[in-house]
Amino acid sequence: MDIQDIIEIFILAAVIFIPLGYALRSRLPGWKNRLATRFLSPRYLTPMTVSMISKNRNRSDALTDVSPVTGKSKTPL
């Protein structure tokens, strides 16, 4: 393989990949986002733990009224 063959390969690659990249420029971010959401783990979400749930329950219990929860509806039948 001499230098002429290498130059032909570079020219052929440029003829194929430059127009292909230009055509896919606007479509590639959508494909990238779909693949990332399907196959990669989310970066900025923290897993929900039992301690987080209990903290939220304690906070919401403190915000509700003082009456005990009986499980019965207060509306008359």
Side-chain angles (χ1 to χ4, degrees), residues 52-64:
M52 290 176 152
I53 294 172
S54 64
K55 283 180 189 176
N56 287 337
R57 284 187 182 163
N58 291 340
R59 188 177 306 143
S60 66
D61 288 343
L63 296 176
T64 58

Side-chain angles (χ1 to χ4, degrees), residues 11-28:
I11 291 173
L12 182 64
V15 166
I16 291 172
F17 290 116
I18 289 176
L20 185 65
Y22 183 75
L24 292 178
R25 180 181 59 180
S26 62
R27 295 182 185 147
L28 195 57

Side-chain angles (χ1 to χ4, degrees), residues 6-76:
I6 296 172
I7 292 172
E8 287 178 10
I9 291 172
F10 276 121
I11 291 173
L12 182 64
V15 166
I16 291 172
F17 290 116
I18 289 176
L20 185 65
Y22 183 75
L24 292 178
R25 180 181 59 180
S26 62
R27 295 182 185 147
L28 195 57
W31 291 353
K32 182 181 167 188
N33 288 340
R34 271 182 269 154
L35 286 174
T37 55
R38 181 170 294 179
F39 295 115
L40 300 178
S41 63
R43 293 182 188 177
Y44 303 108
L45 296 179
T46 57
M48 193 62 133
T49 61
V50 175
S51 63
M52 290 176 152
I53 294 172
S54 64
K55 283 180 189 176
N56 287 337
R57 284 187 182 163
N58 291 340
R59 188 177 306 143
S60 66
D61 288 343
L63 296 176
T64 58
D65 39 315
V66 183
S67 65
V69 178
T70 59
K72 296 181 181 177
S73 174
K74 294 181 180 180
T75 57

